[in-house]
Amino acid sequence: MKMPTILLVDDEPGQRENIRSYLEPRIDCNIVEASNAEEAINFIKNKPCDIMVLDIKMPGPGGSGVDVLEVSKNMPIIALVYTNWDSDHVYKQCMERNVKGFIAKSDSLTVIGEKIVKELKEKNLYFQK
């Protein structure tokens, strides 16, 4: 069986590290990180990933998380938006780009882990450590 790849996209290294630290002992997977939209777009264009946990509001090259979603919308990537940005307009933009779910940054790491496990199980890619 193929080990799943999870792409963590956030301009805040601490956020990526918190999620990585939570997931690594619980899920048998490859975890890759991108610190901006440009890195994320380059990654998904060149390498497959199964799940992308994506911040929407990111400064830096390549645009925002919505730009990443635009590139990934026709790819077999499960996109989970991880943000504190509460906007109906952004929500609509995300849903038009096939976002599978939303996670507030204020949610616990358990909530993030549960959503990722649920999606991996649906794709028969969940391997518990």
Side-chain angles (χ1 to χ4, degrees), residues 77-81 94-95 98-102 118-119 122:
I77 299 171
I78 297 166
L80 299 172
V81 170
C94 292
M95 294 309 293
N98 301 326
V99 167
K100 189 75 172 183
F102 291 84
K118 176 184 175 285
E119 297 302 330
E122 285 182 15

Side-chain angles (χ1 to χ4, degrees), residues 22-128:
Y22 183 81
L23 295 177
E24 281 182 332
R26 292 169 175 81
I27 301 172
D28 199 11
C29 63
N30 298 311
I31 299 176
V32 188
E33 297 181 23
S35 63
N36 58 51
E38 181 177 65
E39 286 179 13
I41 290 169
N42 287 336
F43 182 84
I44 62 175
K45 283 184 174 180
N46 296 301
K47 297 177 186 166
C49 72
D50 301 290
I51 294 184
M52 175 171 55
V53 179
L54 174 70
D55 187 13
I56 291 297
K57 193 174 183 181
M58 293 183 290
S64 71
V66 174
D67 297 305
V68 177
L69 292 170
E70 182 64 29
V71 173
S72 71
K73 72 180 178 185
N74 294 317
M75 296 176 170
I77 299 171
I78 297 166
L80 299 172
V81 170
Y82 177 66
T83 189
N84 278 332
W85 202 8
D86 188 15
S87 159
D88 289 338
H89 176 70
V90 171
Y91 176 81
K92 184 177 180 211
Q93 286 182 309
C94 292
M95 294 309 293
E96 289 169 351
R97 289 160 179 84
N98 301 326
V99 167
K100 189 75 172 183
F102 291 84
I103 305 163
K105 284 191 175 182
S106 58
D107 285 345
S108 72
L109 290 171
T110 305
V111 171
I112 296 165
E114 287 171 354
K115 287 190 186 246
I116 290 171
V117 167
K118 176 184 175 285
E119 297 302 330
L120 289 174
K121 283 182 176 179
E122 285 182 15
K123 286 182 85 172
N124 294 319
L125 291 172
Y126 175 65
F127 305 99
Q128 188 173 10

Side-chain angles (χ1 to χ4, degrees), residues 15-28:
Q15 293 288 351
R16 295 191 313 269
E17 179 56 34
N18 286 340
I19 297 169
R20 175 188 284 277
S21 295
Y22 183 81
L23 295 177
E24 281 182 332
R26 292 169 175 81
I27 301 172
D28 199 11

Side-chain angles (χ1 to χ4, degrees), residues 1-13:
M1 284 196 185
K2 173 186 169 276
M3 185 182 302
T5 298
I6 300 171
L7 174 61
L8 305 177
V9 186
D10 196 313
D11 59 304
E12 298 176 39

